[in-house]
Amino acid sequence: MTTRIVLGTCHHDCPDSCGWQVTVEDGRAVSMRGNPDHPYSQGELCPKVNRFLDRVYSPDRILTPLIRTGAKGDAQFRAASWAEALALVADRVGEIVRDWGGQAIVPWGDAGTQGSLMMNSLDRRFFARLGSSIQVDSLCGAAALSGTAAALGSPLTCDPLDVRYADLVFLWGTNTRLTNRHLWPFIEEARAKGARVIVIDPVRTITADAADQFVQPLPGTDVALMLAMMHVLIRDDLVDHDYVQRHTTGFDELARHVADWTPARAAAVCGIDAHIIEQLARDYGNTPKAFIRTLIGAEHREHGAQFFRTLVCLPTLTGGWKHKGGGFSRSVGSYNNAFLDDDSFSAPHLAAGKPRRPISMNQIGRALTDPTLDPPVKALFVYNGNPVATAPEAATIARGLQRDDLFTVVSEQFMTDTARFADVIFPATTQIEQNDVVTAWGHLHLGFNHQAIEPVGESVPNTELWRRLARAMGFTEPELFESDESLLTKYLADVDAEALRRDAVIHLPLPDDLRPYADGGFATPSGRFEFASAHLEAQGHGRLPEYRQPIEGPGGPASAKYPLVLMSPKIHQRFLNSSYSHLDAHANPEGEMYCELTTTDAAARGIADGDRVRVFNDRDSIDVVARVTARPRTRDGMTIVPFGWTWSRTRDRKTVNVLTNDTLTDWGGGVAYYDTLVQVERVS
Ligand SMILES: Nc1nc2c(c(=O)[nH]1)N[C@H]1C(S)=C(S)[C@@H](COP(=O)(O)OP(=O)(O)OC[C@H]3O[C@@H](n4cnc5c(=O)[nH]c(N)nc54)[C@H](O)[C@@H]3O)O[C@H]1N2
Ligand SMILES: Nc1nc2c(c(=O)[nH]1)N[C@H]1C(S)=C(S)[C@@H](COP(=O)(O)OP(=O)(O)OC[C@H]3O[C@@H](n4cnc5c(=O)[nH]c(N)nc54)[C@H](O)[C@@H]3O)O[C@H]1N2
Ligand code: SF4
Ligand SMILES: [Mo]
């Protein structure tokens, strides 16, 4: 028997990008555990990935190409050979290009794998060669990035691990213990030295339960809270005037603007006590090493980017950026750009002379059902994602996918909400069956993933799928067939690739003392942080940070009919977006899809804990069980249906995203999932 230990890196769309080691005996992976030498994840994985091998060897895995035999959506398929499935796709796609032009073909890929090769490399070339439509916008991260970068002039923020030096930690719209769990020990390290942890979230999360203080504003009202905090900071002179004078513009204008934003005014908007706002501001202003941590939770709103633009004003006013353990930290993925040659994956010349229109991945339902779209979408390729479960307006997406004249190709490991609508499914490998490089967005390490086992069944890595499709289409350009090794060599030209392959993890070659704005250096048009910004005003985002209400919110036109704000955040330990919810070992402990209500809202509707209820709005309805407890996670006027259950686990084969809002965010191309209003009623 031969036994090998193979080092790898988790590919999931998760800030932690943990290191793992796979034990392989005679070609079969027999165990997998965290890599104890990984400087960030330190030998631990998570309740999702601890059972990864069950996923790899699951009897439900898709292991051959599949061709549809039943009605669209019925999940009825027959196994086919690669040759037959490729020929069918080449035929149909060739016909569509001839009859409608390349733009009738739309790719939809997300971050189901964050490995650089498998997420987004040869697919760019394949779709450029086809002259397809271009996928734009983002389900995750774009609004946070844009709002931050608009204010700082750059998307770069502090090293999350510097939280360990903080004296005060704000976890603002992020559920660290669930979604970024390997950062928690660094927060505990600060706490052991006396730091206080404050969570600000409309939902009482497991992170809120572990904090020293939990502040629960009404959803989407944080900008008012931030403006009032600035009011207090300026009123009580807790401003670093030297920093402000040297590195910013527009302070006087900001001071006049926030003069009206008294704690009392914000308290009425946010639904929290004015004295809490006073205290938050004073604690923040009196603590040089006050660290603000966030990820993406608050971006999923119509004014999602404004949240981030406003939030970064706080460390700028107090000079918090100067201190290791101070400042502001969100995704640090952008640090990779300086070291990795992402452009080496593109081959834009393959699209020369071909018009390419943008199609929003967030509004794919609209694109599939829009009778005026010219050319209409005639073929859709879905990979690394499950839009019917994860994108908003999912009922519209499902309706689009049922069109007889639409040809849908999905690359998947499992029969997802989306795959069940496909015409052809290609089997995809899992991370332990392929080589890749993984950039992290929750820490500053780069990971390598060594292939541990041969592909299971007839599954192939995504790159191989694009090569096979290009060959089947009769394309001949060599760029379409470049090997993974060759792609990696170019991509990694500027990092220590040898150490990366050897240890499967390296720290990005950045200084230990990162503090990106300790001495100003804001890359805005003026070279200063612009509290009042002419260029943001010109783009329609307001000269100053402003609190705005969403159209689909309390007091808005739909609120008389649909009085409850629906939050659909990630709450499950064992699901990763919609992944894993199809496996019994993960889904059974999470129980049934539910809707949580406060006792007051439940009583007003005659609903008791465990009742069957209908959650609905004009978009659709879902049939779930009510959860009503004495200690709710919600506030009155809000309800929660956690996001993650897949179709086969729900009563009516629908996920919460049939109800959510596909309005794009104020800027950045994010989407307003959480600005969704619903009504809930008991089903008798
Ligand atoms: N277990 C598990 N871990 C995951 C994932 C998963 O599905 N399951 N998904 C991964 C992915 S893709 C991502 S992007 C990250 C996301 O990581 P996070 O950003 O930490 O997670 P979210 O749950 O999207 O949002 C965090 C919190 O934002 C809150 N929030 C929503 N609106 C507002 C608001 O207006 N104001 C404030 N203050 N808070 C608000 C929500 O209630 C939620 O608790 O997590 C990753 N980790
Ligand atoms: N209501 C609501 N909706 C949300 C969110 C929310 O908080 N609330 N969060 C949003 C966020 S932050 C995100 S990031 C999105 C996530 O949305 P998606 O990216 O659609 O997330 P998943 O459901 O995990 O789907 C990933 C799929 O990729 C597949 N996959 C994994 N590896 C590979 C591979 O190597 N090749 C191929 N071909 N496929 C692979 C998996 O099997 C899985 O089905 O959801 C968003 N949707
Ligand atoms: S899903 Fe996240 S926490 Fe779990 S192993 Fe992967 S990177 Fe780590
Ligand atoms: Mo995400």
Side-chain angles (χ1 to χ4, degrees):
M1 186 170 76
T2 58
T3 301
R4 294 185 303 133
I5 305 250
V6 183
L7 295 179
T9 303
C10 183
H11 60 296
H12 279 308
D13 188 353
C14 168
D16 288 357
S17 302
C18 299
W20 65 40
Q21 51 187 48
V22 186
T23 305
V24 183
E25 283 176 10
D26 290 336
R28 190 174 169 91
V30 294
S31 74
M32 183 162 142
R33 63 182 196 112
N35 174 3
D37 299 325
H38 194 283
Y40 173 70
S41 57
Q42 304 183 25
E44 198 206 44
L45 297 172
C46 70
K48 294 149 280 177
V49 174
N50 284 337
R51 312 178 71 113
F52 193 72
L53 298 184
D54 291 356
R55 183 178 174 96
V56 173
Y57 295 117
S58 166
D60 297 331
R61 221 181 121 181
I62 295 172
L63 293 176
T64 66
L66 299 175
I67 293 177
R68 179 167 65 86
T69 52
K72 293 195 179 207
D74 282 357
Q76 298 298 314
F77 294 88
R78 67 172 169 87
S81 68
W82 269 93
E84 184 190 3
L86 285 168
L88 175 63
V89 174
D91 230 48
R92 283 299 302 272
V93 169
E95 209 174 272
I96 290 167
V97 174
R98 270 193 311 279
D99 295 350
W100 301 89
Q103 295 188 102
I105 296 161
V106 173
W108 195 102
D110 200 39
T113 166
Q114 296 197 136
S116 303
L117 287 183
M118 302 312 157
M119 183 163 78
N120 192 228
S121 64
L122 288 186
D123 46 335
R124 293 186 206 170
R125 299 183 187 179
F126 177 72
F127 290 109
R129 175 66 181 78
L130 279 175
S132 75
S133 292
I134 297 181
Q135 164 188 333
V136 296
D137 298 338
S138 155
L139 298 181
C140 175
L145 184 147
S146 315
T148 307
L152 301 174
S154 148
L156 303 180
T157 61
C158 298
D159 183 349
L161 273 61
D162 280 355
V163 72
R164 70 188 122 163
Y165 305 114
D167 293 321
L168 179 64
V169 180
F170 280 77
L171 302 175
W172 203 321
T174 183
N175 189 359
T176 314
R177 283 182 65 217
L178 183 85
T179 60
N180 184 194
R181 58 185 287 131
H182 296 87
L183 187 66
W184 189 254
F186 297 93
I187 294 172
E188 287 291 1
E189 192 182 324
R191 238 173 168 184
K193 291 181 284 186
R196 285 180 66 238
V197 175
I198 302 175
V199 166
I200 305 180
D201 197 309
V203 175
R204 184 177 57 73
T205 60
I206 56 167
T207 309
D209 282 338
D212 298 293
Q213 183 179 358
F214 171 44
V215 178
Q216 191 171 24
L218 292 168
T221 61
D222 305 66
V223 169
L225 171 59
M226 295 168 201
L227 293 171
M229 283 176 70
M230 291 195 253
H231 170 101
V232 177
L233 291 172
I234 294 171
R235 183 198 70 196
D236 294 359
D237 200 22
L238 296 170
V239 170
D240 182 336
H241 290 288
D242 176 59
Y243 189 90
V244 165
Q245 196 253 320
R246 285 195 293 134
H247 303 306
T248 76
T249 62
F251 172 75
D252 294 338
E253 228 180 303
L254 177 77
R256 284 195 298 278
H257 177 58
V258 299
D260 293 341
W261 274 103
T262 59
R265 178 177 170 199
V269 173
C270 305
I272 53 185
D273 285 348
H275 79 265
I276 300 280
I277 301 177
E278 294 267 357
Q279 171 245 316
L280 289 175
R282 276 198 306 273
D283 287 356
Y284 186 74
N286 284 315
T287 315
K289 294 183 189 176
F291 195 86
I292 300 177
R293 170 68 174 164
T294 189
L295 283 174
I296 57 98
E299 82 161 21
H300 283 150
R301 305 191 163 279
E302 198 181 313
H303 303 295
Q306 191 77 252
F307 172 101
F308 291 86
R309 179 236 186 135
T310 312
L311 192 51
V312 292
C313 292
L314 292 174
T316 311
L317 270 183
T318 62
W321 297 112
K322 295 192 305 192
H323 310 286
K324 202 166 169 65
F328 166 87
S329 176
R330 47 168 285 278
S331 161
V332 286
S334 301
Y335 280 102
N336 289 288
N337 301 347
F339 308 107
L340 296 170
D341 188 2
D342 184 71
D343 286 343
S344 68
F345 293 149
S346 303
H349 58 277
L350 292 174
K354 300 179 184 119
R356 301 191 74 190
R357 67 173 172 198
I359 295 280
S360 172
M361 74 183 299
N362 299 339
Q363 298 183 333
I364 188 66
R366 298 191 196 199
L368 293 176
T369 53
D370 180 353
T372 66
L373 200 64
D374 182 23
V377 182
K378 301 296 281 185
L380 178 72
F381 282 80
V382 178
Y383 52 104
N384 298 340
N386 181 14
V388 177
T390 61
E393 279 277 5
T396 310
I397 305 175
R399 208 170 68 241
L401 289 173
Q402 269 162 335
R403 273 176 39 206
D404 275 334
D405 65 329
L406 177 75
F407 186 66
T408 303
V409 179
V410 174
S411 163
E412 251 303 345
Q413 299 160 352
F414 289 92
M415 191 57 69
T416 62
D417 309 66
T418 310
R420 72 187 162 109
F421 287 96
D423 291 284
V424 177
I425 305 178
F426 289 110
T429 41
T430 71
Q431 183 75 338
I432 65 167
E433 298 154 62
Q434 59 204 13
N435 286 314
D436 214 334
V437 169
V438 182
T439 59
W441 47 281
H443 52 87
L444 296 169
H445 301 85
L446 182 63
F448 197 85
N449 181 69
H450 290 282
Q451 179 180 352
I453 58 168
E454 288 303 310
V456 179
E458 295 177 26
S459 64
V460 299
N462 291 351
T463 43
E464 179 59 17
L465 172 65
W466 308 120
R467 287 188 285 260
R468 290 187 185 188
L469 283 168
R471 202 169 295 118
M473 294 292 302
F475 299 155
T476 52
E477 292 83 349
E479 298 90 326
L480 298 168
F481 304 99
E482 191 166 353
S483 71
D484 289 3
E485 260 319 296
S486 166
L487 288 164
L488 279 180
T489 304
K490 290 177 195 158
Y491 184 60
L492 296 174
D494 297 332
V495 297
D496 185 347
E498 201 185 309
L500 177 63
R501 285 172 190 266
R502 185 188 61 228
D503 301 331
V505 59
I506 55 172
H507 197 274
L508 291 178
L510 288 163
D512 268 353
D513 187 2
L514 199 55
R515 292 184 303 145
Y517 308 102
D519 199 22
F522 298 103
T524 56
S526 64
R528 289 166 167 260
F529 186 99
E530 300 172 3
F531 288 118
S533 169
H535 81 275
L536 288 179
E537 182 178 27
Q539 293 167 34
H541 304 315
R543 184 171 170 80
L544 289 146
E546 272 169 32
Y547 168 64
R548 294 178 188 172
Q549 281 166 319
I551 294 169
E552 188 166 334
S559 62
K561 219 164 136 197
Y562 302 117
L564 298 169
V565 176
L566 171 70
M567 300 284 297
S568 51
K570 305 146 178 95
I571 284 189
H572 310 293
Q573 294 282 355
R574 297 171 192 79
F575 300 167
L576 194 278
N577 302 318
S578 80
S579 299
Y580 295 100
S581 56
H582 39 73
L583 299 176
D584 285 343
H586 292 252
N588 293 345
E590 300 289 358
E592 194 182 349
M593 178 151 77
Y594 63 85
C595 157
E596 181 166 336
L597 291 161
T598 64
T599 44
T600 313
D601 284 330
R605 292 166 176 76
I607 294 170
D609 187 44
D611 281 354
R612 215 172 132 186
V613 293
R614 201 165 81 85
V615 186
F616 63 100
N617 57 21
D618 285 343
R619 297 185 182 95
D620 206 349
S621 77
I622 53 175
D623 182 351
V624 294
V625 66
R627 184 177 282 195
V628 186
T629 67
R631 209 173 152 252
R633 282 181 291 201
T634 48
R635 297 181 53 146
D636 291 341
M638 277 170 70
T639 180
I640 302 176
V641 179
F643 151 75
W645 281 279
T646 192
W647 66 289
S648 54
R649 300 279 165 185
T650 65
R651 286 180 194 230
D652 49 10
R653 300 193 154 198
K654 290 188 282 190
T655 72
V656 68
N657 276 324
V658 299
L659 301 173
T660 54
N661 183 351
D662 73 348
T663 301
L664 297 183
T665 52
D666 41 5
W667 71 101
V671 67
Y673 293 103
Y674 296 162
D675 286 329
T676 292
L677 293 175
V678 294
Q679 180 58 291
V680 182
E681 68 182 19
R682 199 155 70 91
V683 178
S684 41

